[in-house]
Amino acid sequence: MGEPTRVCYLLTFPKQLLCYQPLNARMSENVLCQPVSGRQDQKAFLDLEKRLYRDDPNWVPPLWSERVKLVGFKHHPFYDDAEGQTFLVRRGDRVVGRVLAVVNHAHNRYHEETRGFFGFFECEDDEEAAIELLNTAGNWLKERGMTGVRGPVHPSLNYEVGLLVDGFDTPPTFLIPYNHPYYERLIQAAGFEKSQDLYSYEASIDILETLDPKLLFVIEESTRRFNAVCRSIDPKNFNADVRVFLDIYNQSLQRTWGYVPMSEAEVDDQSKGLKNLLLPKLTSIAEIDGKPVGAGFGLLDYNPLIKKINGKLFPFGWLKLLMGRKKLKRLRLVSANVLPEYQKWGLGLVTLYKILPEAIKFGIEMGEFSWVLESNQLSRGTIERGGATRSKTHRIYDRSLTPDSEQAST
């Protein structure tokens, strides 16, 4: 056989000529997966995402200045205690897929495992290429002593997590992953199986008017029992209060599935990022006798604005985000964390209850609780009892890297 035939069609639009290469011709070209090497490959890694979603109205570009750090192209404190390698898979000369493989030393020390991770997976609907891509990443992890791989995480569970498997009909909220529906099929074809689901719930902000009396009783009783006082983050001590929140976050999740404490450098980095995005009145710190024991915050859904600036913060993107946020109507209730010794007493509800009236004053119409582990029966039950409905499901997958689980690259 000779070179694949390329058929050109002249359309009715003036001077517009499109070339079409049949799918079976493209699929006959060889698949090759290689590590990202040099700026040209880095650009191809980032550009693939733009190309795959350019016609998808629900896709929202990432903040590109953050993306280049999280994938390891520029320094990020996560990689002070982790190794990462990005890969591109090509069919012929065309880039058709990408992935990041990660050895998270902090995770493996904390959980006493030898588990690798993958993230930032993007691929055309090309099963052979996807299998080659994920197998190559798996082999890289195996060479470093890993016996299993989990993902997608971007690049860990402290950042963006999971593959969207349900809820493709609406755009994602800020910092929630989005992907094509066929990705689940590609990942499963590479031998991955479900490990854990993560749920997003949404509710109209006027839920206060119909709050379950039992939940209201829990809030009132918990406040009375502990004499808990809630306050917003103090703008004059913003950095210190954000640090309080992140410290409570680290302590409160110690027994949570997959959790790994953020390093001091990560906490500092997160603090700087949140300073520009958080509105103090949409935050809450619960104190008992002056000691912070719980913290929560609502994060505005910046995605409509990020879409307008195409993910570019510079030179004027930041200004447009700050000026435009007054018109945002959706709030992501990211977290209500409580120190372990005060958990199961309703203080998380007390913390969130402080935020909701302020959200109404701001003009918020819809709130989202995300993400909630399917194994977290307490949080799920409370949210569902409060009237919220599940809107999206993200999934984390596992695969063994032991010899008897090898997947064929065909």
Side-chain angles (χ1 to χ4, degrees), residues 314-364:
F314 305 102
F316 302 114
W318 266 121
L319 181 62
K320 291 180 179 179
L321 285 187
L322 297 179
M323 296 295 291
R325 67 185 180 183
K326 296 179 181 179
K327 297 181 180 180
L328 297 176
K329 301 298 182 183
R330 189 177 184 90
L331 183 71
R332 182 182 168 204
L333 295 161
V334 179
S335 184
N337 299 115
V338 178
L339 293 180
E341 59 266 36
Y342 293 100
Q343 291 173 0
K344 297 185 179 180
W345 290 101
L347 281 173
L349 283 172
V350 173
T351 305
L352 287 181
Y353 196 67
K354 159 70 173 61
I355 296 173
L356 293 178
E358 295 296 334
I360 292 174
K361 292 179 184 178
F362 186 85
I364 296 298

Side-chain angles (χ1 to χ4, degrees), residues 179-390:
N179 52 263
H180 289 302
Y182 65 82
Y183 279 20
E184 181 179 18
R185 171 168 45 81
L186 297 185
I187 289 175
Q188 289 176 332
F192 286 85
E193 298 179 347
K194 172 189 167 180
S195 178
Q196 183 92 204
D197 278 352
L198 307 98
Y199 301 135
S200 296
Y201 294 87
E202 66 178 18
S204 172
I205 205 67
D206 60 11
I207 195 174
L208 280 175
E209 299 176 2
T210 57
L211 189 65
D212 187 331
K214 293 181 181 179
L215 294 182
L216 189 58
F217 173 79
V218 170
I219 293 169
E220 293 172 346
E221 182 64 17
S222 182
T223 302
R224 183 199 62 79
R225 179 186 183 94
F226 295 102
N227 194 25
V229 176
C230 290
R231 64 173 178 86
S232 300
I233 284 178
D234 183 356
K236 295 181 181 179
N237 297 291
F238 192 93
N239 290 340
D241 274 353
V242 170
R243 184 60 181 253
V244 166
F245 165 76
L246 292 172
D247 285 343
I248 291 174
Y249 170 89
N250 259 347
Q251 295 181 60
S252 68
L253 297 179
Q254 293 175 6
R255 299 175 184 176
T256 302
W257 181 90
Y259 165 74
V260 178
M262 286 186 290
S263 68
E264 288 294 311
E266 286 181 282
V267 169
D268 288 340
D269 185 74
Q270 290 274 41
S271 298
K272 294 175 183 177
L274 288 173
K275 185 175 183 179
N276 296 314
L277 298 172
L278 281 181
L279 290 180
K281 59 187 174 183
L282 298 178
T283 66
S284 177
I285 296 177
E287 296 180 335
I288 297 176
D289 297 328
K291 174 189 174 182
V293 299
F297 68 89
L299 192 58
L300 291 170
D301 180 15
Y302 287 94
N303 273 359
L305 299 176
I306 292 173
K307 196 163 187 174
K308 288 183 179 180
I309 65 173
N310 200 27
K312 299 177 181 178
L313 291 176
F314 305 102
F316 302 114
W318 266 121
L319 181 62
K320 291 180 179 179
L321 285 187
L322 297 179
M323 296 295 291
R325 67 185 180 183
K326 296 179 181 179
K327 297 181 180 180
L328 297 176
K329 301 298 182 183
R330 189 177 184 90
L331 183 71
R332 182 182 168 204
L333 295 161
V334 179
S335 184
N337 299 115
V338 178
L339 293 180
E341 59 266 36
Y342 293 100
Q343 291 173 0
K344 297 185 179 180
W345 290 101
L347 281 173
L349 283 172
V350 173
T351 305
L352 287 181
Y353 196 67
K354 159 70 173 61
I355 296 173
L356 293 178
E358 295 296 334
I360 292 174
K361 292 179 184 178
F362 186 85
I364 296 298
E365 298 175 354
M366 186 66 67
E368 177 178 291
F369 300 87
S370 56
W371 38 264
V372 183
L373 285 168
E374 67 172 322
S375 57
N376 189 343
Q377 298 291 341
L378 179 62
S379 292
R380 286 178 55 197
T382 301
I383 291 170
E384 291 169 5
R385 193 180 309 124
T389 57
R390 192 186 306 173

Side-chain angles (χ1 to χ4, degrees), residues 27 31-33 87-91 96-99 118 121-138 182-192 399 407-410:
M27 297 297 282
V31 169
L32 179 64
C33 186
F87 295 90
L88 292 173
V89 63
R90 292 178 170 87
R91 186 172 285 282
V96 296
R98 74 176 201 191
V99 78
F118 79 91
F121 171 83
E122 303 286 355
C123 194
E124 293 184 8
D125 193 356
D126 185 335
E127 190 169 297
E128 180 186 12
I131 292 174
E132 180 68 20
L133 180 67
L134 291 168
N135 277 353
T136 302
Y182 65 82
Y183 279 20
E184 181 179 18
R185 171 168 45 81
L186 297 185
I187 289 175
Q188 289 176 332
F192 286 85
R399 174 185 153 184
Q407 301 294 314
S409 301
T410 58

